[in-house]
Amino acid sequence: MIATLIMHICHVLLTTATFLGLYTNIVRSKEWWDGANYYQIYPRSFQDSNGDGIGDLNGVTEKLQYLKDIGFTAAWLSPIFKSPMVDFGYDISDFYAIQPEYGTMEDFKALVARAKQVGIRIILDFVPNHTSDECEWFVKSVNREPGYEDFYVWNNGTVDSNGKRQPPSNWISAFRYSAWEWNEQRQQYYLHQFAIKQADLNFRNPLVVAKMKEVMSYWLDTGISGFRIDSIPFLFEKGPDKNGNFPDEPVIDDVSVCPDPNDWCHLNHTYTQDQPESIEMVYQWRELVEQYRKEKGGESRVLLTEAYTTFENLMLSYGDGQRNGSMVPFNFYFMTNVKNDSSAQEIVDIIERWMQSMPAGVSANWVLGNHDNPRYSTRLGVQRADLFAILLQTLPGNAVTYYGEELCMEDGEVTWEQTVDPQGCNADPSNYQNYSRDPARTPYQWDASKNAGFSTADRPWLPVASNYRTNNALAQLRAPKSHLQIFMKLIRLRKLRSLQDGPLKIKAIGNDIIIYSREISGDDLFVIVLNLGGTPQSLNINEHFNMGSQAEVITSSLQSAYHDGDIVDPKKYVAEPYVGVILAKV
Ligand code: GLC
């Protein structure tokens, strides 16, 4: 099966390698992480090599060539470290060990070695904000062992007028209910901004800062190319006042938006989110990777940062003018603001704001999905999935792909009984679907065999999405045109000079059309036309970008009637419903 898959990839690569002869213009970017294609692997759901129903490292290793053939530069793996798996690896109990169900340290080393062989860089998930309560550091802190007393955020809490113990403040966990948990042994509350078993580290303690830097250096020594850093806005909380008290957070102004007092969205997180020290930590971690390179040589190591925060903070995470920060602050401004009903102008404004606000010398990045959000083909409409892939891959800077987006995978169906995500489990059968992240984490759809070729187990850890028999990698490699083949073409196109370095000129026409050009003078002129709406629109493209009398269709959405290589008249172009197209001036 795998051999057939690879044969088909080779075939596709060969047949699509000839268009326009544009390969002569391929450029190398300054740093490998600039203008790159990042792929997020959720290891638990990617490929199960030992039949236990859970994806693992050897499964990833097997598939690295496939990722390389698609054209990805680097793959970041969601956490693979030892963990009780309450939050599927974001609750780490040993930062220096591999989770046994994912494999061994030898398996990890083999993965890195194979990745180097095929030419894919490996990026690990670094989770600095919290540890599992099963982590040795937490146990030591509970026991007040010297050096560990203040490793976590501990507090006595208060006693109410009925003599009942109460948490130190009204803070709520991102997964619902109080963010404070009583520890019987230490006779104090500890802070957990996520699940009860995810205790928040105390970043105001320099020993914690140092310890987490050791963790980074340890993994850098294994030959990885950088980190995706988790939960930046949560790193610091406002410290206690002189009496040791933490202030309550104010309730949101319009309670009707989030009436449930146990829900995280009920409060304004003035004291638990976005403290300026959190971005300062990003600068320190950037220094660490720069220093590491100075000492040990090799390529530059990348930092990708996860922060659902204000636009201003996202810009600040790039750097503050004095210090550098993240190379890729995930563009969640784009991901969260591009909505199913966004107009062309709204999307253009979102893109232009990012492009115009970035500090000098950094690159943009574009992301529409990850393991915490519904898949974008489900969110933005499956018929427009190629259109958004075209947008992501033809904007300047870095593109981030969540596993399965290249196949246009949709959210799977996960019943209440099958729900395992703590955020889903903390809800109830009537509303878990609004909270659970399981549907976006269903197994990769490799082929039409049992469990989509993901696992030979009787029951994978999450059910496979029901459309896997028709929508899978193998079928898409065999079909004359498919989401995956369009995607592969897009990645190759992105390496061309005009798409790497050409300025973006973008505008909206009416409610539905986004049109933009990418061109380096003296090189290819590409014009991209996206029709967000359900009706065909006739356009004179030359009124916006002068394409002369003929343009070639380089690629277009799957349902388009245009074929790659068709020559069209730009003055009488018809933008088909929900279709994206890349045209090149002939
Ligand atoms: C990040 C992760 C998410 C996890 C949370 C707590 O947001 O992406 O999956 O639940 O951090 O670690």
Side-chain angles (χ1 to χ4, degrees):
M1 188 63 82
I2 287 162
T4 338
L5 200 70
I6 290 169
M7 257 173 51
H8 277 274
I9 294 175
C10 295
H11 173 72
V12 169
L13 287 177
L14 283 174
T15 50
T16 50
T18 48
F19 66 90
L20 273 184
L22 290 169
Y23 275 87
T24 45
N25 301 336
I26 289 177
V27 281
R28 288 248 131 252
S29 37
K30 292 151 249 95
E31 293 280 3
W32 69 265
W33 42 260
D34 208 352
N37 265 293
Y38 296 94
Y39 190 74
Q40 179 187 355
I41 297 178
Y42 197 68
R44 211 174 172 78
S45 299
F46 199 56
Q47 177 69 65
D48 170 18
S49 74
N50 63 354
D52 64 357
I54 294 170
D56 46 45
L57 296 183
N58 289 340
V60 172
T61 307
E62 251 176 55
K63 299 296 185 185
L64 288 170
Q65 184 66 51
Y66 168 76
L67 297 181
K68 178 66 182 179
D69 290 343
I70 296 177
F72 293 107
T73 323
W76 72 270
L77 309 180
S78 280
I80 55 169
F81 316 105
K82 194 156 180 234
S83 159
M85 290 288 154
V86 163
D87 192 17
F88 297 103
Y90 286 96
D91 49 322
I92 299 172
S93 54
D94 186 345
F95 283 77
Y96 297 101
I98 302 287
Q99 168 69 356
E101 64 195 348
Y102 292 164
T104 61
M105 194 55 104
E106 277 56 52
D107 296 334
F108 176 70
K109 287 183 181 154
L111 185 157
V112 173
R114 178 76 186 135
K116 285 214 186 332
Q117 234 173 32
V118 305
I120 290 252
R121 287 150 182 109
I122 297 296
I123 294 167
L124 289 183
D125 209 319
F126 175 53
V127 187
N129 179 65
H130 43 265
T131 76
S132 164
D133 64 349
E134 295 179 28
C135 180
E136 187 193 3
W137 310 337
F138 187 76
V139 176
K140 288 183 171 172
S141 196
V142 167
N143 292 327
R144 298 183 198 263
E145 277 191 30
Y148 290 89
E149 300 96 324
D150 299 322
F151 239 59
Y152 296 81
V153 184
W154 292 103
N155 191 274
N156 292 335
T158 56
V159 176
D160 68 14
S161 50
N162 300 324
K164 207 172 156 239
R165 196 166 42 228
Q166 295 295 341
S169 68
N170 70 344
W171 298 354
I172 297 177
S173 145
F175 294 163
R176 284 171 80 78
Y177 306 117
S178 174
W180 296 100
E181 182 70 8
W182 179 253
N183 182 274
E184 211 36 55
Q185 197 178 334
R186 179 157 157 154
Q187 290 287 301
Q188 277 193 311
Y189 285 94
Y190 67 87
L191 179 70
H192 62 89
Q193 298 215 59
F194 294 93
I196 290 173
K197 283 178 73 63
Q198 290 169 295
D200 262 57
L201 284 163
N202 175 15
F203 264 83
R204 298 194 182 276
N205 179 350
L207 294 175
V208 169
V209 174
K211 184 67 118 189
M212 294 318 281
K213 286 183 179 170
E214 272 172 31
V215 169
M216 290 178 100
S217 304
Y218 175 84
W219 288 103
L220 286 173
D221 280 345
T222 65
I224 59 161
S225 297
F227 298 101
R228 173 266 188 190
I229 310 181
D230 186 72
S231 302
I232 304 289
F234 294 83
L235 288 174
F236 283 81
E237 302 73 39
K238 189 171 172 54
D241 64 19
K242 60 180 184 318
N243 302 318
N245 298 321
F246 290 101
D248 278 350
E249 289 190 326
V251 170
I252 49 170
D253 294 339
D254 180 1
V255 184
S256 67
V257 177
C258 184
D260 179 351
N262 290 317
D263 199 318
W264 190 71
C265 56
H266 192 71
L267 299 180
N268 267 333
H269 301 286
T270 20
Y271 302 127
T272 54
Q273 291 273 296
D274 294 329
Q275 306 302 299
E277 295 91 336
S278 300
I279 292 182
E280 162 66 35
M281 269 319 305
V282 176
Y283 301 158
Q284 289 192 29
W285 290 328
R286 172 69 180 260
E287 265 167 43
L288 183 145
V289 291
E290 299 293 353
Q291 191 56 32
Y292 187 88
R293 185 187 190 185
K294 273 192 203 133
E295 285 166 20
K296 310 249 174 141
E299 287 183 335
S300 140
R301 278 65 167 191
V302 74
L303 298 181
L304 299 85
T305 43
E306 189 224 21
Y308 295 88
T309 183
T310 61
F311 184 83
E312 290 69 22
N313 278 337
L314 286 170
M315 291 300 128
L316 261 182
S317 13
Y318 274 123
D320 65 357
Q322 314 276 312
R323 287 159 305 170
N324 290 324
S326 172
M327 289 83 157
V328 184
F330 284 130
N331 190 340
F332 293 160
Y333 178 70
F334 182 68
M335 183 174 76
T336 54
N337 287 301
V338 172
K339 303 228 164 72
N340 193 24
D341 58 356
S342 295
S343 69
Q345 189 61 54
E346 281 162 353
I347 296 180
V348 167
D349 290 346
I350 292 165
I351 294 168
E352 289 209 301
R353 184 168 182 210
W354 191 279
M355 293 303 297
Q356 287 159 11
S357 311
M358 286 185 298
V362 302
S363 328
N365 76 82
W366 310 99
V367 43
L368 277 175
N370 59 33
H371 63 294
D372 294 326
N373 291 282
R375 288 183 174 277
Y376 77 75
S377 28
T378 301
R379 221 173 56 229
L380 303 175
V382 67
Q383 72 278 38
R384 300 193 300 183
D386 294 324
L387 177 154
F388 283 107
I390 291 173
L391 174 63
L392 227 86
Q393 296 290 340
T394 54
L395 289 173
N398 295 297
V400 184
T401 302
Y402 178 53
Y403 83 96
E405 284 176 355
E406 70 284 10
L407 302 180
C408 183
M409 267 175 65
E410 294 167 65
D411 280 356
E413 311 79 27
V414 183
T415 63
W416 168 248
E417 289 71 29
Q418 292 164 329
T419 294
V420 287
D421 172 27
Q423 194 168 278
C425 296
N426 276 353
D428 61 59
S430 67
N431 67 357
Y432 76 100
Q433 276 152 324
N434 300 333
Y435 295 88
S436 175
R437 297 167 295 179
D438 292 331
R441 300 175 177 179
T442 58
Y444 194 83
Q445 294 162 211
W446 292 104
D447 57 42
S449 69
K450 179 179 171 184
N451 296 326
F454 161 70
S455 171
T456 55
D458 286 339
R459 254 180 54 142
W461 80 284
L462 276 180
V464 173
S466 59
N467 67 353
Y468 79 89
R469 284 194 187 79
T470 47
N471 194 31
N472 60 64
L474 185 59
Q476 294 202 24
L477 287 166
R478 283 179 172 162
K481 188 177 179 186
S482 67
H483 303 297
L484 182 55
Q485 289 175 24
I486 294 166
F487 195 89
M488 288 160 92
K489 196 160 188 178
L490 290 172
I491 290 201
R492 286 203 322 287
L493 266 173
R494 275 182 98 237
K495 298 190 173 122
L496 304 178
R497 267 192 80 207
S498 287
L499 284 170
Q500 278 284 316
D501 296 330
L504 172 73
K505 294 183 185 158
I506 188 165
K507 51 175 118 165
I509 306 174
N511 199 53
D512 290 338
I513 302 284
I514 298 176
I515 186 167
Y516 54 101
S517 73
R518 302 291 310 280
E519 179 186 23
I520 286 270
S521 72
D523 216 307
D524 306 303
L525 164 63
F526 292 108
V527 172
I528 293 97
V529 184
L530 311 175
N531 183 357
L532 300 171
T535 44
Q537 310 250 355
S538 298
L539 287 182
N540 178 353
I541 293 177
N542 287 354
E543 281 174 10
H544 309 280
F545 304 106
N546 188 5
M547 299 203 85
S549 57
Q550 291 193 325
E552 177 173 347
V553 175
I554 302 299
T555 196
S556 61
S557 301
L558 188 54
Q559 74 268 35
S560 166
Y562 293 112
H563 297 109
D564 297 4
D566 279 357
I567 301 295
V568 296
D569 180 352
K571 294 187 291 305
K572 295 184 193 142
Y573 182 73
V574 179
E576 303 160 283
Y578 305 129
V579 160
V581 66
I582 303 179
L583 300 168
K585 185 174 179 197
V586 177

